[in-house]
Amino acid sequence: MLAGAVLTALSGCRSSRQPGSEPGPERRGPRSVLVAYFSRAGENYWNGGRRRLTIGNTQVVAETIGELIGTDVHRIDAADPYPDAYDPTVERNVREQRDDAKPAIANLLASIDRYDTVLLGSPIWNVRAPMIMSTFTEGLDFTGKIVHPFTTYAMSGLGTTERDYAATCPGATLGEGLAVRGEEATAAGPAAEAWLRRIGLKP
């Protein structure tokens, strides 16, 4: 585990857009809210051991949130996908954090101008979101947006996401986040619904 923390990751996915088309989120409704998340499937930390996930924990939570509020959901794909195995992913993440790397995104959105609120989802790896989340936030203009982080984790809750997004989303307002233990992702509906109500996105 990384510096006393644990890697809890979730799945990424491939874009289904046609060649030459602009990448965009999966349309789910007319609301001005975007759920954007990075997730990794494969071998994950699980209750002190390892478990192979077909769908990553963060993806499970992101899709739950999308269904609860009927809004757009965009999965962030790494141009160089992370390994399926746990330990090599940990090693890569250590290097990326050490080097302040910004891993390339295969399907970076051209703009988030149409959205008022962005929910940024990721696992927590070594106390912070994977560095690809900084690639995403630094590649877009968050001025005037409301940003709420949500995470899946083993030990570190929201980690440093609030501080990091405050730095990489200048001009945005940071709101309350949601942290879900990775092993509890499939049962996160009630907690996600209560959170969405608290932040004013669900009646």
Side-chain angles (χ1 to χ4, degrees):
M1 289 179 280
L2 312 176
V6 188
L7 168 64
T8 310
L10 309 219
S11 68
C13 80
R14 297 290 169 271
S15 173
S16 60
R17 64 190 176 95
Q18 296 299 312
S21 67
E22 179 180 305
E26 176 186 348
R27 286 292 300 162
R28 292 201 180 184
R31 302 182 64 136
S32 58
V33 179
L34 173 66
V35 176
Y37 73 94
F38 169 76
S39 186
R40 176 187 159 276
E43 186 183 40
N44 273 245
Y45 176 88
W46 193 269
N47 289 322
R50 304 287 185 271
R51 182 174 181 178
R52 188 164 299 282
L53 303 178
T54 303
I55 298 175
N57 297 320
T58 304
Q59 180 177 349
V60 171
V61 176
E63 291 179 349
T64 297
I65 292 168
E67 290 169 2
L68 284 168
I69 58 176
T71 196
D72 293 354
V73 177
H74 177 71
R75 186 164 51 186
I76 299 166
D77 299 335
D80 177 14
Y82 286 83
D84 180 75
Y86 176 86
D87 289 337
T89 299
V90 171
E91 293 166 5
R92 174 172 164 180
N93 181 67
V94 168
R95 292 194 303 271
E96 290 177 347
Q97 288 190 347
R98 180 194 64 211
D99 298 340
D100 194 29
K102 301 297 186 295
I105 293 175
N107 58 338
L108 182 64
L109 296 176
S111 171
I112 55 171
D113 288 351
R114 59 189 280 193
Y115 301 105
D116 299 318
T117 300
V118 182
L119 310 183
L120 292 174
S122 75
I124 293 296
W125 293 355
N126 193 23
V127 193
R128 65 169 298 169
M131 296 302 292
I132 197 168
M133 294 303 294
S134 294
T135 310
F136 183 82
T137 53
E138 291 179 6
L140 295 164
D141 183 4
F142 281 80
T143 303
K145 311 299 181 188
I146 299 172
V147 173
H148 294 275
F150 67 93
T151 66
T152 55
Y153 71 96
M155 295 171 61
S156 301
L158 287 167
T160 63
T161 53
E162 293 165 309
R163 182 187 71 197
D164 295 338
Y165 295 150
T168 60
C169 304
T173 298
L174 267 291
E176 179 186 347
L178 172 70
V180 176
R181 194 164 179 266
E183 295 88 342
E184 299 171 358
T186 57
E193 187 167 10
W195 173 64
L196 291 166
R197 287 200 172 99
R198 287 197 304 275
I199 64 177
L201 295 182
K202 188 171 177 60

